Amino acid sequence: MFESRKRHHLASRAALAGIALVSCPAAGFAQEQTTPQIVVTGQPLAAPESVAAYDQQIIAADRLRASASGRIEDALSAVAGFQQFRRSDSRSSNPTSQGVTLRALGGNASSRSLVLLDGVPVADPFFGHIPLSALAPERLALARVTRGGGAGPFGAGAVAGTIELESAGADALELFEGEALSDDRGESALSATLAPRLGSGFAVASARWDRGQGFWTTPESQRVPASARARYDSWSASLRGVAPLAPDVELQARGLIFDDHRTLRFKGADSTSSGQDASLRLVGRGAWAFDVLGYIQARDYSNVVVSATSFRKTLDQRATPSTGWGGKAELRPPVGEAHVLRLGADWRGADGTMFEDAYNAAGTVTARRSAGGRNTDLGFYIEDEWQMGALTLTGGARLDRWTIAQGFFRDVSGVGTVTTDNRFADRSGWAESLRGGGLLRLGGGVTLRGSAYSGLRQPTLNELYRPFTVFPVVTRANAALGNERLVGFEGGFDLVPAKDLRLSLTAFDNRVRHAIANVTVATNLRERRNVGAVHARGIELGGSARIGTVSLDGSLAWTEAKVEASGALNGKRPAQTPELAGSATLAWQPRTGWRIAATVKHVGAQFEDDLQTDVLPAATTLDGFVQVPLRAGISLVLRGENLTDTRIVTRNQGGSLDLGVPRTLWAGLRVALPR
């Protein structure tokens, strides 16, 4: 079995190389075009107007690129309610804790929100976390955040909303853009993007490298000789080509490779995460519009666990090779001006194996473990939009065939004796999801909206088969986990009384049934289990205003979330979910190329664990960003993270703490060369 998995992984990497080569002929084809009126966009099919029936917020490119840290998770946190499993960012957290969720529907480290990059799901095939360090904001045209579940393409997995990232094309980029910054700890952030036009098409090549000694995540009072800074060294490179195949048909090809190394808490406690992704997309904008997409991903992860008492290596999670693959096909037939009909199917799969070695205090291997399996999902969906004057209605349905197969867990002693060899029964089934909503424009800039929806999320391979330890707590896997099911509804309004003023309010009620949580079953022992439900209801506010060269953008979310289950968990707030979160950015742009901005963010108190014994206090931070042109094409960039040096507790295990980013000051140059 292990050899077949290895061959499968190698074959997937070979397929990645084959797909990546397609972008080269595509670029060449673009050069051969002699029809100047054909100009491709590199964008997906336009979203139907009815998507506004769902609570949606768009973060434009200028805001994505002007975050204090330069990290995508920092930019996305402008949407109140966005959170990772932990408060730490992608420089100072374990990659597996980078699960993304919305609306306080978290509770474990897997993503309950669907994250798409140019239409492709980007979550790790084995763990379900998001490779945030590989998603550079400067490569993006926008981020569209939809809070609330739904059907549609790749809808299985969107039980806490969808985050759609769209890459920037040649129209949004200069011929060359580059940035070099350093902070007050001597760390560096380097990035460069080249976006030439090639005939009627274009290519975008981009690279980024971040490295540094990191800050102390361990409070000074708890440091020991083995304590270490959160050192990080990550790079990523992407190549994207877009070429016309006909006046209304274009081919989009994208490749991404990344590598990420981090050290957490102790010397030798190193983790690595790497990946190679590729996708091909065919978009037709004619009367019979279509979107056909295929992708493949090869990922790997390793992690060394160091004892918090002996400070020796106790576990070496030496490799977790995994492969993700899939695609979708969507057709929009011409059914009249008052309708937008979407018919489609999508398929995705995940295959992976974990290999780890356990050590005793003498440094001898005591056990060698492996675990893994394969998950697949085949979905069919239909959505229709009706426009009837001031009223727009939308409705959709989705049917998924899911499978959980080839699951196993094997444990071999240090002397080669098989102590555990479990093979788990294959499972499969059908699940339906529905969503519908409406918009009513009342005039005067007032729009009412409402929607209801259901959704599905499969447990990840990690949740099913891989146990883990965050000393001294052991969390067991559970191969019997069932799917999560979402049922929710929401209503609200958008108010645009003037061109430069917008306000929105949404009230929602979401329930994730059979939610997967890390449940305490004994002292220092937890197990992944399906609980009755996680029920979240609350209010989300958003607003933006422009007065001349000054702008204000804000977002606020208040959420009452609780676990509905038998026993000690009933009525308790899910782990890692704050009640209140908010963000506000005040910016001044006196002329082109200038930006001076300050951002205040607040995250309310939350609990580390399911039994609410360890508190993570509330934190309010202030960030700053300044860009000042020095001469044509060259700008000075200043950034400040956590300017008030607020103490941000990111982990509290019985008083053993980890801290988030302290005050950090950056300075550097940004270069933009026009075409």
Side-chain angles (χ1 to χ4, degrees):
M1 174 181 288
F2 304 143
E3 288 301 318
S4 66
R5 288 183 182 276
K6 183 177 180 181
R7 287 194 298 271
H8 176 75
H9 194 62
L10 291 174
S12 299
R13 290 180 182 269
L16 277 171
I19 291 179
L21 288 174
V22 175
S23 63
C24 296
F29 180 84
Q31 287 180 304
E32 294 169 7
Q33 298 305 297
T34 58
T35 311
Q37 68 268 26
I38 300 177
V39 178
V40 300
T41 67
Q43 298 175 354
L45 293 177
E49 184 179 352
S50 59
V51 298
Y54 308 98
D55 186 8
Q56 192 173 96
Q57 188 168 335
I58 294 176
I59 308 175
D62 58 343
R63 294 186 63 198
L64 289 173
R65 300 177 190 182
S67 68
S69 67
R71 324 291 292 187
I72 187 63
E73 62 271 25
D74 189 15
L76 290 174
S77 65
V79 178
F82 167 87
Q83 66 175 112
Q84 301 177 76
F85 178 62
R86 298 193 185 279
R87 295 173 173 178
S88 45
D89 66 15
S90 57
R91 296 166 295 188
S92 59
S93 64
N94 191 290
T96 60
S97 69
Q98 292 174 182
V100 167
T101 191
L102 297 160
R103 287 190 167 167
L105 289 170
N108 67 20
S110 295
S111 292
R112 285 197 170 110
S113 292
L114 174 67
V115 181
L116 303 172
L117 174 60
D118 296 327
V120 175
V122 298
D124 184 90
F126 190 93
F127 294 96
H129 67 261
I130 308 302
L132 296 172
S133 63
L135 304 177
E138 63 270 14
R139 298 173 189 156
L140 301 176
L142 61 85
R144 182 183 296 107
V145 181
T146 303
R147 294 180 283 200
F154 299 116
V159 297
T162 303
I163 299 173
E164 300 169 83
L165 307 176
E166 292 185 11
S167 293
D171 289 340
L173 299 169
E174 302 289 359
L175 175 62
F176 173 82
E177 297 181 10
E179 191 173 79
L181 294 99
S182 181
D183 71 4
D184 51 356
R185 291 188 294 271
E187 297 157 354
S188 60
L190 305 173
S191 65
T193 299
L194 184 65
R197 288 198 175 277
L198 303 173
S200 297
F202 64 84
V204 178
S206 179
R208 177 165 173 163
W209 181 29
D210 297 89
R211 64 183 296 274
Q213 64 174 333
F215 56 86
W216 290 103
T217 59
T218 305
E220 187 173 1
S221 62
Q222 297 183 1
R223 292 176 202 162
V224 297
S227 295
R229 292 173 177 266
R231 180 179 59 84
Y232 64 95
D233 190 339
S234 63
W235 63 267
S236 65
S238 70
L239 177 63
R240 186 166 180 256
V242 179
L245 301 183
D248 55 5
V249 179
E250 66 183 55
L251 177 67
Q252 304 172 6
R254 181 177 58 82
L256 171 69
I257 58 175
F258 64 89
D259 193 60
D260 189 321
H261 296 255
R262 306 179 199 176
T263 299
L264 299 178
R265 303 199 77 216
F266 300 117
K267 298 172 184 176
D270 302 327
S271 66
T272 67
S273 178
S274 62
Q276 303 86 39
D277 297 2
S279 65
L280 284 176
R281 189 176 199 176
L282 197 63
V283 177
R285 307 181 195 279
W288 289 76
F290 59 85
D291 185 352
V292 180
L293 169 71
Y295 72 90
I296 190 167
Q297 303 161 328
R299 304 282 178 84
D300 203 356
Y301 167 80
S302 69
N303 184 54
V304 175
V305 179
V306 172
S307 168
T309 53
S310 69
F311 310 112
R312 296 176 179 269
K313 179 170 66 175
T314 60
L315 188 67
D316 184 0
Q317 297 165 319
R318 50 189 170 85
T320 316
S322 62
T323 304
W325 66 91
K328 76 161 186 178
E330 177 176 307
L331 180 66
R332 299 185 184 182
V335 291
E337 294 183 0
H339 286 265
V340 178
L341 178 63
R342 304 171 66 188
L343 305 171
D346 59 63
W347 176 58
R348 57 178 164 170
D351 183 289
T353 306
M354 172 275 293
F355 300 95
E356 66 179 27
D357 300 333
Y359 292 80
N360 60 21
T364 302
V365 175
T366 58
R368 299 188 186 277
R369 306 184 188 106
S370 57
R374 173 178 291 188
N375 287 358
T376 63
D377 183 277
L378 174 63
F380 305 92
Y381 63 91
I382 178 173
E383 286 196 296
D384 196 7
E385 172 188 294
W386 302 268
Q387 294 186 18
M388 297 171 285
L391 178 64
T392 300
L393 298 176
T394 179
R398 181 179 172 92
L399 184 64
D400 287 275
R401 174 66 175 179
W402 58 268
T403 65
I404 296 175
Q406 302 179 20
F408 74 97
F409 178 85
R410 182 179 173 87
D411 190 309
V412 180
S413 71
V415 296
T417 303
V418 177
T419 56
T420 304
D421 191 2
N422 292 331
R423 297 293 186 271
F424 304 109
D426 295 351
R427 294 180 282 151
S428 62
W430 290 91
E432 74 288 338
S433 302
L434 301 170
R435 77 171 178 178
L439 293 166
L440 179 60
R441 295 168 182 82
L442 299 180
V446 179
T447 301
L448 301 181
R449 51 182 165 78
S451 60
Y453 36 76
S454 60
L456 162 76
R457 185 183 80 89
Q458 276 187 291
T460 63
L461 300 175
N462 176 54
E463 292 169 318
L464 289 164
Y465 309 120
R466 173 186 169 265
F468 71 95
T469 300
V470 178
F471 187 85
V473 179
V474 175
T475 301
R476 299 188 304 211
N478 184 353
L481 289 172
N483 297 330
E484 296 181 340
R485 296 285 299 172
L486 166 77
V487 176
F489 60 91
E490 63 189 60
F493 67 84
D494 296 312
L495 175 62
V496 188
K499 176 183 177 182
D500 295 324
L501 177 61
R502 176 177 178 176
L503 301 171
S504 67
L505 180 146
T506 303
F508 66 90
D509 190 309
N510 288 182
R511 178 182 278 105
V512 178
R513 297 171 178 168
H514 313 302
I516 298 171
N518 300 332
V519 178
T520 300
V521 295
T523 302
N524 292 332
L525 179 63
R526 297 175 187 162
E527 183 177 71
R528 296 188 182 97
R529 291 184 176 179
N530 291 105
V531 300
V534 171
H535 186 192
R537 54 188 176 184
I539 295 174
E540 295 159 343
L541 298 172
S544 64
R546 303 286 185 275
I547 303 177
T549 58
V550 177
S551 64
L552 176 65
D553 295 273
S555 181
L556 180 69
W558 172 82
T559 311
E560 179 188 74
K562 63 180 180 179
V563 176
E564 298 176 347
S566 59
L569 293 184
N570 189 51
K572 287 186 166 54
R573 190 171 186 84
Q576 304 290 340
T577 56
E579 184 175 18
L580 187 67
S583 172
T585 298
L586 179 66
W588 178 47
Q589 294 180 269
R591 57 179 63 92
T592 302
W594 284 70
R595 183 177 176 87
I596 300 173
T599 299
V600 176
K601 295 179 182 177
H602 175 81
V603 178
Q606 57 198 70
F607 293 100
E608 173 75 29
D609 61 324
D610 60 319
L611 295 181
Q612 301 186 355
T613 56
D614 296 320
V615 177
L616 305 177
T620 302
T621 59
L622 173 65
D623 295 337
F625 179 89
V626 176
Q627 179 174 309
V628 179
L630 300 178
R631 54 177 299 178
I634 301 178
S635 299
L636 171 68
V637 176
L638 304 174
R639 301 191 317 214
E641 302 180 62
N642 191 8
L643 291 171
T644 55
D645 205 21
T646 299
R647 179 182 169 99
I648 307 169
V649 179
T650 63
R651 185 190 67 91
N652 179 3
Q653 194 71 60
S656 174
L657 304 181
D658 283 350
L659 303 179
V661 63
R663 179 169 49 236
T664 304
L665 304 177
W666 293 85
L669 296 175
R670 178 174 292 177
V671 178
L673 303 180
R675 14 190 115 259

